[in-house]
Structures are given as structure tokens and as C-alpha cells.
Amino acid sequence: ITLYAGKAYKGYRIWPPFSNFGEGKLNNHSTQVTFGTHVTKIPEKIFKDVNFMYNLTLPDSLTEIGKFAFTNTTLTSIKIPSKVLEISDSAFFNCTNLKSVILPNELKKKKNGAFQNCQLDSICLSDSVKEIGKYAFYGNKFNSFRFPKAINKIEPFTFSECNKLKFVVFPLFIDSIAESAFENCDSLMLNKNLDQVTYIGKSAFSGCTSLNKLWIPNVTDLDTSTISGCKSLDSINIVNVKKLSHGMFANMKYLKHLELPFGGAGTAQTVGNFGELFGTEQNSDMRAVTQPLEDGTTKTYYLPTGLNVLVIGEGCEQLPYGALYNCSMIEKLTLPTTIKGVKENALYGCDGLTDIYVKRALPPSAYETSFTGVNQFGCTLHVPYNSKQYYSIANGWKYFYFI
């Protein structure tokens, strides 16, 4: 089949050589496709469902690839000509044999689903790309990805189901990661703090079972589904989240380092027990911790045995009654400059504490029972410069031998 620029004739030969060839659809009875030298556009669905193509050379004159142009074809590799600035929605959707794509340096946009459900084992986008659409790489097989520098948001489902994706280099100014962007990327690991990100959508990292670190200190809203199933997480920083949901860290048995806006589930005004963040589902790999409730009853939660660092972020004003009750796995606790009070039994039974860091210059109010069970002869109390004299006479704090 030779395709010239112009109008399709029975889906076979396109003539005469105008600036584009018109709407049409090829069948499956040929083994070779070539293009005339003046073709500038491949229209929508022209090759949709054609299964004879494996390698295809597009003309250098090409500037546009239409929607669904190659959907469901048997392409295994393709080179996009240098004049193409945009790849339209679903242009290569469901090309399940497509493993290799060479993209032009001048490419500006990859629209929604452009390479969804392909088998690309590598992909490289130049820094000229300004937009990557929804579902763009859904279900592909590459193991690393570097974002172009101009990208500042990740659209929904962009990398969902990319189960071999392990390393991602994020752009410097990215501030938004949409819903399900990395859902079920079960090889993904993040080695960089996402300090610049202010929004993360639902299920953005859901099912990322290899994810071991998530530092998003400037995100204010975090749905439980965002990190559900991230069972390998060992370090989390969400110090600016306004609400912590019950059970949001359930079954995260490898957690070692946790930075939170306050010390339990709820909001700053309604904060409850620390254990509520982990839930009551029994897990033999986690430690059973019984904590008191406001109504006088108790409840048993299951916490990570290796959770030894807890940092409470700026803005928190108090540790409520029984907040960290029986959390004997915690070794290092940091309290912010805004802390005003440590309520009764807040650290009851925290006999694993070796260091408490209090950033407030003047001692927060405390009770004789605030530190019951803490080894005050073995735990070092770290306070701001020139504050030791105040802590050494303050109720509750004065019993620490090392200040």
C-alpha cells in the first residue's frame, strides 16, 4: 500500500499529493505501508485495528498524528519524525507489541492515553515537552523515567499499572500528583523528598508495594487511599496534613521513622490516640499496644515493632491524655516550638525512649504522671540553648537526670 497525501480511495491508495490524506481505514490484507513525500497528517483511526504492521517508517514531512491513529495495531517499533510537535489522544493506545519508540526533541505534548497499554521498555522525553496527558504511559514496562524540566504536574493514571517502573526523576517545580498517577507501580521506589509537592490525589501511590519512603511535608490533604497497600514504607513525613485518618498506616510493619502534624488520628482540635492511626486489625508481625479511650475503656492497636523515631511538627500545641500510651518501641521523640502541654499519661509506658527533643524554650506544662514509665535516668532531654535552667525546675520535666 502506498499512501499519498489526499483522499482515501477504498482504503488502499491515496491520491493526489495534497497536504494530508483524508479520513479512511485500511484493512489487513497488505504487509507493507509506505508514504508519499508530502504527507503532513495521519488522520484519526486510519490504521486502527490493522494487524499487519510491525515496523513503520513515517515521512519526514509529517507534523501531526491524529487520535486513535494506530490503536490496536501490531507495531513493535516506530520513530516519530522531528516535525511532529504533538501526539494526539490514544494515538498508540493498546499497541501491545510496541516496545520501542523514538521521539523527536521538538515534541511539545503527549496527550491522554498516547501510549496507554503498550509494552515500552524504555522512553526518553526531551525537555521541550510541556504536557503529558492522562493515562499517557498506563501499563507500560519501562523501569525508569525522567520528567522533562517544564512539567509541573502529573496527570491521573499517567503511570498506573507500570509494574516494572522503579526509578523516577521528578522535575524541580512539580507541585501536583493527581489521582492514581502511580497506582499499582509495585516496583516503585522514591529516593528524593517531594518537598515542592502541595497536592496528591486519591490512590496516587496505592498498591506501590516496594515504596519505602514518602516525604511530602507540604501536602495538606491526604486521603487514606493515597498510600493504601504501601506495605514496605519505612519513612513518612506528612507534617502539614490537616487530618489524619483512622487506620491510614494499617499493616505498615516496616515503619521506622514518622513525622506527623500531631500525635494521633483526627485533626489538631480532635486528635485521638496514636494507635488509631494503625488500626485494630490483628497482625502477628506488629506489636499489640493497648491504649485508653476517653470513655474509660481501652482498645488494642497493632503498631510497627521498629518504629523508633517520631517527630511532631510545628503547629501542634499538646500531646493529649494517653496519646503515646505504651508505645515502648519509640526511642526518639521530637516536640515542636509550638507545644504548650504534655497531658497526663501522654508518654505512659514509653520505656524505650532514649532521647526527647523539645524545641520550645520555656517548658510546656506537664504533670507528674506525664512521663510515668519513662526511664528518666536513662533518657536524655534535649532543650534549646539556655533553657536547661527552666526545665530543671519545671513540673514533670525536672525529674530527667540528663538535660
Side-chain angles (χ1 to χ4, degrees):
I1 298 173
T2 302
L3 303 179
Y4 295 100
K7 184 179 181 181
Y9 175 69
K10 294 183 179 180
Y12 286 93
R13 184 176 178 82
I14 297 174
W15 179 263
F18 296 143
S19 62
N20 59 63
F21 56 81
E23 298 299 324
K25 184 176 182 300
L26 303 179
N27 65 21
N28 292 322
H29 298 298
S30 273
T31 59
Q32 185 176 356
V33 174
T34 57
F35 293 85
T37 57
H38 300 289
V39 172
T40 60
K41 175 182 178 181
I42 298 178
E44 295 183 15
K45 303 180 182 179
I46 188 70
F47 294 108
K48 186 175 183 292
D49 299 324
V50 173
N51 61 27
F52 60 76
M53 291 187 298
Y54 296 97
N55 299 294
L56 187 65
T57 302
L58 300 176
D60 291 338
S61 57
L62 192 67
T63 61
E64 184 178 350
I65 300 175
K67 297 179 181 179
F68 300 95
F70 294 95
T71 290
N72 289 330
T73 63
T74 52
L75 279 171
T76 58
S77 64
I78 195 166
K79 179 180 180 180
I80 309 297
S82 61
K83 293 181 181 179
V84 175
L85 301 181
E86 177 176 315
I87 300 176
S88 298
D89 294 349
S90 302
F92 296 91
F93 172 72
N94 211 38
C95 293
T96 56
N97 294 319
L98 185 59
K99 294 184 177 181
S100 175
V101 172
I102 299 176
L103 300 171
N105 290 333
E106 294 79 10
L107 186 68
K108 302 295 185 186
K109 296 181 180 180
K110 282 182 73 283
K111 304 295 279 186
N112 298 340
F115 291 98
Q116 183 179 347
N117 285 345
C118 295
Q119 299 292 306
L120 297 178
D121 52 24
S122 65
I123 190 72
C124 182
L125 299 182
S126 73
D127 286 331
S128 65
V129 174
K130 303 292 191 295
E131 179 182 331
I132 300 175
K134 302 174 184 178
Y135 293 89
F137 297 110
Y138 182 104
N140 276 270
K141 301 301 180 183
F142 45 80
N143 67 2
S144 63
F145 185 85
R146 185 192 71 84
F147 276 97
K149 293 180 180 179
I151 299 296
N152 62 9
K153 62 180 179 180
I154 303 176
E155 298 287 357
F157 297 92
T158 301
F159 300 97
S160 185
E161 306 294 339
C162 290
N163 55 27
K164 292 188 177 181
L165 180 60
K166 186 174 183 179
F167 303 109
V168 175
V169 179
F170 289 92
L172 183 61
F173 299 108
I174 189 167
D175 58 18
S176 174
I177 301 176
E179 62 180 293
S180 300
F182 293 95
E183 186 174 10
N184 292 330
C185 292
D186 52 21
S187 298
L188 182 65
M189 301 179 72
L190 298 181
N191 297 315
K192 181 180 182 296
N193 299 348
L194 299 178
D195 295 345
Q196 70 279 31
V197 175
T198 58
Y199 172 78
I200 295 184
K202 294 181 179 180
S203 300
F205 293 100
S206 177
C208 293
T209 55
S210 297
L211 190 65
N212 63 337
K213 179 180 180 180
L214 187 63
W215 281 47
I216 45 175
N218 290 309
V219 170
T220 56
D221 294 298
L222 189 68
D223 190 83
T224 301
S225 68
T226 302
I227 54 174
S228 65
C230 296
K231 61 183 181 181
S232 296
L233 279 170
D234 62 27
S235 181
I236 297 176
N237 181 332
I238 51 172
V239 292
N240 272 309
V241 171
K242 302 302 182 185
K243 181 180 180 180
L244 300 178
S245 301
H246 292 247
M248 67 185 307
F249 304 131
N251 296 313
M252 293 185 183
K253 62 182 180 180
Y254 297 110
L255 266 181
K256 297 178 181 178
H257 184 114
L258 195 54
E259 301 198 18
L260 302 175
F262 33 82
T267 66
Q269 293 73 35
T270 65
V271 61
N273 289 343
F274 185 64
E276 292 175 342
L277 295 170
F278 297 88
T280 58
E281 181 181 348
Q282 293 189 19
N283 188 325
S284 60
D285 294 323
M286 301 177 76
R287 182 176 299 180
V289 174
T290 300
Q291 295 187 325
L293 304 179
E294 291 184 0
D295 61 5
T297 62
T298 61
K299 187 175 288 188
T300 299
Y301 307 98
Y302 290 82
L303 277 62
T305 58
L307 179 57
N308 51 36
V309 177
L310 177 63
V311 178
I312 305 299
E314 294 297 325
C316 179
E317 296 188 352
Q318 70 172 17
L319 283 184
Y321 175 88
L324 301 176
Y325 200 97
N326 282 337
C327 291
S328 59
M329 73 289 293
I330 298 175
E331 298 175 2
K332 300 181 185 300
L333 173 66
T334 299
L335 301 177
T337 60
T338 53
I339 195 77
K340 295 179 179 179
V342 179
K343 298 298 185 181
E344 293 178 294
N345 293 327
L347 297 176
Y348 180 95
C350 293
D351 55 11
L353 279 170
T354 60
D355 297 272
I356 298 178
Y357 299 84
V358 187
K359 296 181 180 180
R360 184 180 175 89
L362 295 177
S365 64
Y367 299 84
E368 298 287 337
T369 58
S370 294
F371 306 100
T372 300
V374 176
N375 181 3
Q376 292 174 300
F377 290 96
C379 178
T380 300
L381 180 61
H382 304 263
V383 299
Y385 182 71
N386 282 339
S387 292
K388 179 178 178 179
Q389 57 183 317
Y390 305 114
Y391 279 84
S392 62
I393 60 174
N395 192 35
W397 303 103
K398 65 184 178 181
Y399 299 111
F400 284 89
Y401 186 78
F402 296 104
I403 301 179

